[in-house]
PDB file of all heavy atoms in Angstrom:
ATOM      1  N   GLU A  15     -85.256  25.865  35.013  1.00  0.00           N
ATOM      2  CA  GLU A  15     -84.886  26.530  36.260  1.00  0.00           C
ATOM      3  C   GLU A  15     -84.300  25.468  37.175  1.00  0.00           C
ATOM      4  O   GLU A  15     -84.481  24.263  36.920  1.00  0.00           O
ATOM      5  CB  GLU A  15     -86.101  27.221  36.889  1.00  0.00           C
ATOM      6  CG  GLU A  15     -87.276  26.296  37.134  1.00  0.00           C
ATOM      7  CD  GLU A  15     -88.537  27.060  37.501  1.00  0.00           C
ATOM      8  OE1 GLU A  15     -89.269  27.473  36.572  1.00  0.00           O
ATOM      9  OE2 GLU A  15     -88.773  27.234  38.697  1.00  0.00           O
ATOM     10  N   VAL A  17     -83.676  22.640  39.919  1.00  0.00           N
ATOM     11  CA  VAL A  17     -84.616  21.633  40.411  1.00  0.00           C
ATOM     12  C   VAL A  17     -85.266  22.082  41.706  1.00  0.00           C
ATOM     13  O   VAL A  17     -86.477  21.855  41.925  1.00  0.00           O
ATOM     14  CB  VAL A  17     -83.893  20.275  40.597  1.00  0.00           C
ATOM     15  CG1 VAL A  17     -84.786  19.293  41.356  1.00  0.00           C
ATOM     16  CG2 VAL A  17     -83.498  19.694  39.244  1.00  0.00           C
ATOM     17  N   GLU A  18     -84.497  22.716  42.582  1.00  0.00           N
ATOM     18  CA  GLU A  18     -85.092  23.148  43.860  1.00  0.00           C
ATOM     19  C   GLU A  18     -86.199  24.170  43.653  1.00  0.00           C
ATOM     20  O   GLU A  18     -87.175  24.225  44.437  1.00  0.00           O
ATOM     21  CB  GLU A  18     -84.012  23.711  44.796  1.00  0.00           C
ATOM     22  CG  GLU A  18     -83.178  24.836  44.230  1.00  0.00           C
ATOM     23  CD  GLU A  18     -81.891  24.377  43.568  1.00  0.00           C
ATOM     24  OE1 GLU A  18     -81.854  23.212  43.089  1.00  0.00           O
ATOM     25  OE2 GLU A  18     -80.933  25.167  43.541  1.00  0.00           O
ATOM     26  N   ASP A  19     -86.100  24.956  42.584  1.00  0.00           N
ATOM     27  CA  ASP A  19     -87.174  25.905  42.290  1.00  0.00           C
ATOM     28  C   ASP A  19     -88.401  25.180  41.734  1.00  0.00           C
ATOM     29  O   ASP A  19     -89.538  25.548  42.047  1.00  0.00           O
ATOM     30  CB  ASP A  19     -86.687  26.955  41.286  1.00  0.00           C
ATOM     31  CG  ASP A  19     -85.655  27.887  41.882  1.00  0.00           C
ATOM     32  OD1 ASP A  19     -85.546  27.958  43.134  1.00  0.00           O
ATOM     33  OD2 ASP A  19     -84.943  28.557  41.114  1.00  0.00           O
ATOM     34  N   LEU A  20     -88.176  24.161  40.904  1.00  0.00           N
ATOM     35  CA  LEU A  20     -89.304  23.371  40.424  1.00  0.00           C
ATOM     36  C   LEU A  20     -90.032  22.716  41.591  1.00  0.00           C
ATOM     37  O   LEU A  20     -91.264  22.588  41.580  1.00  0.00           O
ATOM     38  CB  LEU A  20     -88.816  22.286  39.451  1.00  0.00           C
ATOM     39  CG  LEU A  20     -88.210  22.764  38.127  1.00  0.00           C
ATOM     40  CD1 LEU A  20     -87.659  21.567  37.336  1.00  0.00           C
ATOM     41  CD2 LEU A  20     -89.242  23.521  37.290  1.00  0.00           C
ATOM     42  N   ALA A  21     -89.255  22.283  42.603  1.00  0.00           N
ATOM     43  CA  ALA A  21     -89.845  21.605  43.757  1.00  0.00           C
ATOM     44  C   ALA A  21     -90.630  22.559  44.652  1.00  0.00           C
ATOM     45  O   ALA A  21     -91.479  22.109  45.438  1.00  0.00           O
ATOM     46  CB  ALA A  21     -88.739  20.919  44.575  1.00  0.00           C
ATOM     47  N   ARG A  22     -90.385  23.855  44.538  1.00  0.00           N
ATOM     48  CA  ARG A  22     -91.130  24.825  45.353  1.00  0.00           C
ATOM     49  C   ARG A  22     -92.495  25.156  44.744  1.00  0.00           C
ATOM     50  O   ARG A  22     -93.352  25.710  45.425  1.00  0.00           O
ATOM     51  CB  ARG A  22     -90.325  26.115  45.497  1.00  0.00           C
ATOM     52  CG  ARG A  22     -89.062  25.970  46.338  1.00  0.00           C
ATOM     53  CD  ARG A  22     -88.442  27.331  46.648  1.00  0.00           C
ATOM     54  NE  ARG A  22     -87.153  27.174  47.297  1.00  0.00           N
ATOM     55  CZ  ARG A  22     -85.979  27.287  46.681  1.00  0.00           C
ATOM     56  NH1 ARG A  22     -85.955  27.575  45.376  1.00  0.00           N
ATOM     57  NH2 ARG A  22     -84.847  27.116  47.346  1.00  0.00           N
ATOM     58  N   ARG A  23     -92.641  24.830  43.474  1.00  0.00           N
ATOM     59  CA  ARG A  23     -93.890  25.165  42.802  1.00  0.00           C
ATOM     60  C   ARG A  23     -94.920  24.069  43.004  1.00  0.00           C
ATOM     61  O   ARG A  23     -94.578  22.913  43.301  1.00  0.00           O
ATOM     62  CB  ARG A  23     -93.620  25.390  41.312  1.00  0.00           C
ATOM     63  CG  ARG A  23     -92.679  26.559  41.053  1.00  0.00           C
ATOM     64  CD  ARG A  23     -92.291  26.671  39.599  1.00  0.00           C
ATOM     65  NE  ARG A  23     -93.433  26.944  38.746  1.00  0.00           N
ATOM     66  CZ  ARG A  23     -93.348  27.117  37.421  1.00  0.00           C
ATOM     67  NH1 ARG A  23     -92.172  27.056  36.831  1.00  0.00           N
ATOM     68  NH2 ARG A  23     -94.426  27.350  36.714  1.00  0.00           N
ATOM     69  N   ARG A  24     -96.165  24.411  42.845  1.00  0.00           N
ATOM     70  CA  ARG A  24     -97.246  23.446  42.972  1.00  0.00           C
ATOM     71  C   ARG A  24     -97.683  22.996  41.576  1.00  0.00           C
ATOM     72  O   ARG A  24     -97.950  23.825  40.702  1.00  0.00           O
ATOM     73  CB  ARG A  24     -98.423  24.076  43.717  1.00  0.00           C
ATOM     74  CG  ARG A  24     -98.094  24.435  45.165  1.00  0.00           C
ATOM     75  CD  ARG A  24     -99.314  24.990  45.853  1.00  0.00           C
ATOM     76  NE  ARG A  24     -99.054  25.228  47.267  1.00  0.00           N
ATOM     77  CZ  ARG A  24     -99.954  25.698  48.124  1.00  0.00           C
ATOM     78  NH1 ARG A  24    -101.170  25.986  47.689  1.00  0.00           N
ATOM     79  NH2 ARG A  24     -99.646  25.875  49.394  1.00  0.00           N
ATOM     80  N   TRP A  25     -97.813  21.691  41.410  1.00  0.00           N
ATOM     81  CA  TRP A  25     -98.149  21.126  40.119  1.00  0.00           C
ATOM     82  C   TRP A  25     -99.442  20.327  40.217  1.00  0.00           C
ATOM     83  O   TRP A  25     -99.659  19.591  41.182  1.00  0.00           O
ATOM     84  CB  TRP A  25     -97.017  20.213  39.612  1.00  0.00           C
ATOM     85  CG  TRP A  25     -95.704  20.902  39.551  1.00  0.00           C
ATOM     86  CD1 TRP A  25     -94.691  20.862  40.474  1.00  0.00           C
ATOM     87  CD2 TRP A  25     -95.258  21.802  38.524  1.00  0.00           C
ATOM     88  NE1 TRP A  25     -93.649  21.660  40.094  1.00  0.00           N
ATOM     89  CE2 TRP A  25     -93.957  22.250  38.895  1.00  0.00           C
ATOM     90  CE3 TRP A  25     -95.823  22.268  37.323  1.00  0.00           C
ATOM     91  CZ2 TRP A  25     -93.234  23.135  38.119  1.00  0.00           C
ATOM     92  CZ3 TRP A  25     -95.093  23.137  36.541  1.00  0.00           C
ATOM     93  CH2 TRP A  25     -93.816  23.568  36.941  1.00  0.00           C
ATOM     94  N   ASP A  26    -100.276  20.477  39.213  1.00  0.00           N
ATOM     95  CA  ASP A  26    -101.457  19.619  39.131  1.00  0.00           C
ATOM     96  C   ASP A  26    -101.073  18.223  38.641  1.00  0.00           C
ATOM     97  O   ASP A  26    -101.592  17.221  39.133  1.00  0.00           O
ATOM     98  CB  ASP A  26    -102.497  20.229  38.173  1.00  0.00           C
ATOM     99  CG  ASP A  26    -103.042  21.549  38.673  1.00  0.00           C
ATOM    100  OD1 ASP A  26    -103.306  21.647  39.883  1.00  0.00           O
ATOM    101  OD2 ASP A  26    -103.186  22.459  37.837  1.00  0.00           O
ATOM    102  N   VAL A  28     -97.597  15.830  37.159  1.00  0.00           N
ATOM    103  CA  VAL A  28     -96.244  15.570  36.698  1.00  0.00           C
ATOM    104  C   VAL A  28     -96.308  14.443  35.688  1.00  0.00           C
ATOM    105  O   VAL A  28     -96.919  13.401  35.936  1.00  0.00           O
ATOM    106  CB  VAL A  28     -95.306  15.178  37.865  1.00  0.00           C
ATOM    107  CG1 VAL A  28     -94.013  14.559  37.331  1.00  0.00           C
ATOM    108  CG2 VAL A  28     -94.985  16.390  38.716  1.00  0.00           C
ATOM    109  N   ARG A  49    -101.497  22.956  35.691  1.00  0.00           N
ATOM    110  CA  ARG A  49    -100.067  23.229  35.894  1.00  0.00           C
ATOM    111  C   ARG A  49     -99.324  21.913  35.729  1.00  0.00           C
ATOM    112  O   ARG A  49     -99.451  20.997  36.541  1.00  0.00           O
ATOM    113  CB  ARG A  49     -99.841  23.797  37.296  1.00  0.00           C
ATOM    114  CG  ARG A  49    -100.493  25.171  37.478  1.00  0.00           C
ATOM    115  CD  ARG A  49    -100.630  25.550  38.933  1.00  0.00           C
ATOM    116  NE  ARG A  49    -101.506  24.602  39.636  1.00  0.00           N
ATOM    117  CZ  ARG A  49    -101.908  24.767  40.894  1.00  0.00           C
ATOM    118  NH1 ARG A  49    -101.536  25.823  41.579  1.00  0.00           N
ATOM    119  NH2 ARG A  49    -102.693  23.865  41.463  1.00  0.00           N
ATOM    120  N   LEU A  51     -95.783  19.636  34.729  1.00  0.00           N
ATOM    121  CA  LEU A  51     -94.328  19.529  34.663  1.00  0.00           C
ATOM    122  C   LEU A  51     -93.978  18.201  34.006  1.00  0.00           C
ATOM    123  O   LEU A  51     -94.436  17.141  34.442  1.00  0.00           O
ATOM    124  CB  LEU A  51     -93.726  19.578  36.064  1.00  0.00           C
ATOM    125  CG  LEU A  51     -92.212  19.306  36.189  1.00  0.00           C
ATOM    126  CD1 LEU A  51     -91.397  20.368  35.439  1.00  0.00           C
ATOM    127  CD2 LEU A  51     -91.796  19.232  37.653  1.00  0.00           C
ATOM    128  N   LEU A 284     -95.136   8.623  44.157  1.00  0.00           N
ATOM    129  CA  LEU A 284     -95.863   8.553  45.428  1.00  0.00           C
ATOM    130  C   LEU A 284     -97.312   8.932  45.163  1.00  0.00           C
ATOM    131  O   LEU A 284     -97.623  10.114  44.997  1.00  0.00           O
ATOM    132  CB  LEU A 284     -95.230   9.506  46.444  1.00  0.00           C
ATOM    133  CG  LEU A 284     -93.708   9.317  46.644  1.00  0.00           C
ATOM    134  CD1 LEU A 284     -93.141  10.423  47.515  1.00  0.00           C
ATOM    135  CD2 LEU A 284     -93.415   7.953  47.236  1.00  0.00           C
ATOM    136  N   GLY A 286    -100.888  10.242  44.916  1.00  0.00           N
ATOM    137  CA  GLY A 286    -101.564  11.295  45.628  1.00  0.00           C
ATOM    138  C   GLY A 286    -100.649  12.347  46.200  1.00  0.00           C
ATOM    139  O   GLY A 286    -101.127  13.344  46.774  1.00  0.00           O
ATOM    140  N   GLU A 287     -99.325  12.151  46.053  1.00  0.00           N
ATOM    141  CA  GLU A 287     -98.376  13.114  46.614  1.00  0.00           C
ATOM    142  C   GLU A 287     -97.478  13.743  45.561  1.00  0.00           C
ATOM    143  O   GLU A 287     -97.323  14.964  45.526  1.00  0.00           O
ATOM    144  CB  GLU A 287     -97.521  12.425  47.685  1.00  0.00           C
ATOM    145  CG  GLU A 287     -98.317  11.862  48.859  1.00  0.00           C
ATOM    146  CD  GLU A 287     -97.417  11.186  49.875  1.00  0.00           C
ATOM    147  OE1 GLU A 287     -96.428  11.828  50.300  1.00  0.00           O
ATOM    148  OE2 GLU A 287     -97.700  10.037  50.231  1.00  0.00           O
ATOM    149  N   GLY A 288     -96.889  12.911  44.715  1.00  0.00           N
ATOM    150  CA  GLY A 288     -95.996  13.459  43.704  1.00  0.00           C
ATOM    151  C   GLY A 288     -94.933  12.456  43.324  1.00  0.00           C
ATOM    152  O   GLY A 288     -95.195  11.252  43.282  1.00  0.00           O
ATOM    153  N   VAL A 289     -93.723  12.951  43.080  1.00  0.00           N
ATOM    154  CA  VAL A 289     -92.618  12.072  42.680  1.00  0.00           C
ATOM    155  C   VAL A 289     -91.374  12.434  43.472  1.00  0.00           C
ATOM    156  O   VAL A 289     -91.203  13.573  43.943  1.00  0.00           O
ATOM    157  CB  VAL A 289     -92.321  12.186  41.165  1.00  0.00           C
ATOM    158  CG1 VAL A 289     -93.528  11.771  40.335  1.00  0.00           C
ATOM    159  CG2 VAL A 289     -91.849  13.587  40.791  1.00  0.00           C
ATOM    160  N   GLY A 294     -83.221  12.653  45.423  1.00  0.00           N
ATOM    161  CA  GLY A 294     -83.953  12.783  46.674  1.00  0.00           C
ATOM    162  C   GLY A 294     -84.918  13.949  46.731  1.00  0.00           C
ATOM    163  O   GLY A 294     -85.678  14.069  47.689  1.00  0.00           O
ATOM    164  N   THR A 295     -84.921  14.784  45.708  1.00  0.00           N
ATOM    165  CA  THR A 295     -85.837  15.923  45.701  1.00  0.00           C
ATOM    166  C   THR A 295     -87.282  15.445  45.555  1.00  0.00           C
ATOM    167  O   THR A 295     -87.571  14.582  44.709  1.00  0.00           O
ATOM    168  CB  THR A 295     -85.498  16.874  44.541  1.00  0.00           C
ATOM    169  OG1 THR A 295     -84.161  17.330  44.696  1.00  0.00           O
ATOM    170  CG2 THR A 295     -86.437  18.080  44.553  1.00  0.00           C
ATOM    171  N   PHE A 296     -88.174  15.994  46.346  1.00  0.00           N
ATOM    172  CA  PHE A 296     -89.603  15.680  46.233  1.00  0.00           C
ATOM    173  C   PHE A 296     -90.302  16.780  45.473  1.00  0.00           C
ATOM    174  O   PHE A 296     -90.104  17.981  45.754  1.00  0.00           O
ATOM    175  CB  PHE A 296     -90.213  15.551  47.636  1.00  0.00           C
ATOM    176  CG  PHE A 296     -91.708  15.380  47.618  1.00  0.00           C
ATOM    177  CD1 PHE A 296     -92.274  14.247  47.092  1.00  0.00           C
ATOM    178  CD2 PHE A 296     -92.552  16.366  48.129  1.00  0.00           C
ATOM    179  CE1 PHE A 296     -93.659  14.074  47.060  1.00  0.00           C
ATOM    180  CE2 PHE A 296     -93.929  16.221  48.106  1.00  0.00           C
ATOM    181  CZ  PHE A 296     -94.482  15.069  47.578  1.00  0.00           C
ATOM    182  N   ILE A 297     -91.106  16.389  44.483  1.00  0.00           N
ATOM    183  CA  ILE A 297     -91.912  17.345  43.733  1.00  0.00           C
ATOM    184  C   ILE A 297     -93.370  16.932  43.882  1.00  0.00           C
ATOM    185  O   ILE A 297     -93.753  15.802  43.550  1.00  0.00           O
ATOM    186  CB  ILE A 297     -91.505  17.384  42.241  1.00  0.00           C
ATOM    187  CG1 ILE A 297     -90.065  17.888  42.114  1.00  0.00           C
ATOM    188  CG2 ILE A 297     -92.455  18.257  41.442  1.00  0.00           C
ATOM    189  CD1 ILE A 297     -89.547  17.980  40.699  1.00  0.00           C
ATOM    190  N   ALA A 298     -94.179  17.825  44.414  1.00  0.00           N
ATOM    191  CA  ALA A 298     -95.566  17.515  44.720  1.00  0.00           C
ATOM    192  C   ALA A 298     -96.462  17.678  43.499  1.00  0.00           C
ATOM    193  O   ALA A 298     -96.300  18.609  42.719  1.00  0.00           O
ATOM    194  CB  ALA A 298     -96.063  18.409  45.851  1.00  0.00           C
ATOM    195  N   ALA A 299     -97.409  16.756  43.387  1.00  0.00           N
ATOM    196  CA  ALA A 299     -98.413  16.829  42.314  1.00  0.00           C
ATOM    197  C   ALA A 299     -99.593  15.976  42.711  1.00  0.00           C
ATOM    198  O   ALA A 299     -99.449  14.912  43.315  1.00  0.00           O
ATOM    199  CB  ALA A 299     -97.828  16.352  40.984  1.00  0.00           C
ATOM    200  N   ASP A 300    -100.780  16.423  42.332  1.00  0.00           N
ATOM    201  CA  ASP A 300    -101.979  15.642  42.597  1.00  0.00           C
ATOM    202  C   ASP A 300    -102.008  14.367  41.755  1.00  0.00           C
ATOM    203  O   ASP A 300    -102.473  13.320  42.212  1.00  0.00           O
ATOM    204  CB  ASP A 300    -103.229  16.469  42.278  1.00  0.00           C
ATOM    205  CG  ASP A 300    -103.516  17.512  43.363  1.00  0.00           C
ATOM    206  OD1 ASP A 300    -102.959  17.358  44.449  1.00  0.00           O
ATOM    207  OD2 ASP A 300    -104.269  18.448  43.075  1.00  0.00           O
ATOM    208  N   THR A 516    -104.814  21.053  45.454  1.00  0.00           N
ATOM    209  CA  THR A 516    -103.381  21.149  45.184  1.00  0.00           C
ATOM    210  C   THR A 516    -102.650  20.761  46.446  1.00  0.00           C
ATOM    211  O   THR A 516    -103.190  20.799  47.546  1.00  0.00           O
ATOM    212  CB  THR A 516    -102.966  22.572  44.764  1.00  0.00           C
ATOM    213  OG1 THR A 516    -103.348  23.489  45.804  1.00  0.00           O
ATOM    214  CG2 THR A 516    -103.646  22.973  43.472  1.00  0.00           C
ATOM    215  N   ARG A 517    -101.405  20.403  46.273  1.00  0.00           N
ATOM    216  CA  ARG A 517    -100.598  19.976  47.421  1.00  0.00           C
ATOM    217  C   ARG A 517     -99.392  20.869  47.554  1.00  0.00           C
ATOM    218  O   ARG A 517     -98.921  21.479  46.604  1.00  0.00           O
ATOM    219  CB  ARG A 517    -100.151  18.526  47.282  1.00  0.00           C
ATOM    220  CG  ARG A 517    -101.302  17.538  47.087  1.00  0.00           C
ATOM    221  CD  ARG A 517    -100.813  16.110  47.125  1.00  0.00           C
ATOM    222  NE  ARG A 517    -100.265  15.786  48.423  1.00  0.00           N
ATOM    223  CZ  ARG A 517    -101.007  15.376  49.468  1.00  0.00           C
ATOM    224  NH1 ARG A 517    -102.310  15.269  49.334  1.00  0.00           N
ATOM    225  NH2 ARG A 517    -100.450  15.085  50.617  1.00  0.00           N
ATOM    226  N   GLY A 518     -98.870  20.914  48.750  1.00  0.00           N
ATOM    227  CA  GLY A 518     -97.663  21.693  49.001  1.00  0.00           C
ATOM    228  C   GLY A 518     -96.422  20.902  48.655  1.00  0.00           C
ATOM    229  O   GLY A 518     -96.477  19.814  48.108  1.00  0.00           O
ATOM    230  N   THR A 519     -95.277  21.462  48.994  1.00  0.00           N
ATOM    231  CA  THR A 519     -94.014  20.785  48.754  1.00  0.00           C
ATOM    232  C   THR A 519     -93.337  20.506  50.077  1.00  0.00           C
ATOM    233  O   THR A 519     -93.722  21.023  51.122  1.00  0.00           O
ATOM    234  CB  THR A 519     -93.096  21.638  47.873  1.00  0.00           C
ATOM    235  OG1 THR A 519     -92.844  22.876  48.544  1.00  0.00           O
ATOM    236  CG2 THR A 519     -93.736  21.920  46.541  1.00  0.00           C
ATOM    237  N   GLY A 520     -92.308  19.696  50.025  1.00  0.00           N
ATOM    238  CA  GLY A 520     -91.602  19.373  51.257  1.00  0.00           C
ATOM    239  C   GLY A 520     -90.471  18.415  50.974  1.00  0.00           C
ATOM    240  O   GLY A 520     -90.038  18.271  49.846  1.00  0.00           O
ATOM    241  N   GLU A 521     -89.990  17.745  52.013  1.00  0.00           N
ATOM    242  CA  GLU A 521     -88.920  16.787  51.847  1.00  0.00           C
ATOM    243  C   GLU A 521     -89.467  15.490  51.245  1.00  0.00           C
ATOM    244  O   GLU A 521     -90.627  15.138  51.454  1.00  0.00           O
ATOM    245  CB  GLU A 521     -88.257  16.486  53.193  1.00  0.00           C
ATOM    246  CG  GLU A 521     -87.548  17.684  53.807  1.00  0.00           C
ATOM    247  CD  GLU A 521     -86.420  18.170  52.929  1.00  0.00           C
ATOM    248  OE1 GLU A 521     -85.708  17.316  52.358  1.00  0.00           O
ATOM    249  OE2 GLU A 521     -86.249  19.385  52.801  1.00  0.00           O
ATOM    250  N   CYS A 522     -88.610  14.770  50.516  1.00  0.00           N
ATOM    251  CA  CYS A 522     -89.042  13.508  49.939  1.00  0.00           C
ATOM    252  C   CYS A 522     -89.237  12.478  51.048  1.00  0.00           C
ATOM    253  O   CYS A 522     -88.317  12.255  51.839  1.00  0.00           O
ATOM    254  CB  CYS A 522     -87.973  13.011  48.957  1.00  0.00           C
ATOM    255  SG  CYS A 522     -88.517  11.624  47.987  1.00  0.00           S
ATOM    256  N   PRO A 523     -90.418  11.888  51.179  1.00  0.00           N
ATOM    257  CA  PRO A 523     -90.660  10.903  52.229  1.00  0.00           C
ATOM    258  C   PRO A 523     -89.720   9.702  52.109  1.00  0.00           C
ATOM    259  O   PRO A 523     -89.335   9.325  51.014  1.00  0.00           O
ATOM    260  CB  PRO A 523     -92.110  10.470  51.998  1.00  0.00           C
ATOM    261  CG  PRO A 523     -92.719  11.581  51.209  1.00  0.00           C
ATOM    262  CD  PRO A 523     -91.615  12.116  50.356  1.00  0.00           C
TER     263      PRO A 523
END
Side-chain angles (χ1 to χ4, degrees):
E15 55 191 87
V17 170
E18 55 267 27
D19 291 342
L20 295 175
R22 292 190 187 100
R23 298 173 63 178
R24 295 182 175 181
W25 304 98
D26 295 319
V28 165
R49 294 163 297 187
L51 173 63
L284 307 172
E287 299 180 52
V289 299
T295 301
F296 173 67
I297 296 180
D300 284 343
T516 57
R517 303 187 64 84
T519 60
E521 295 298 320
C522 190

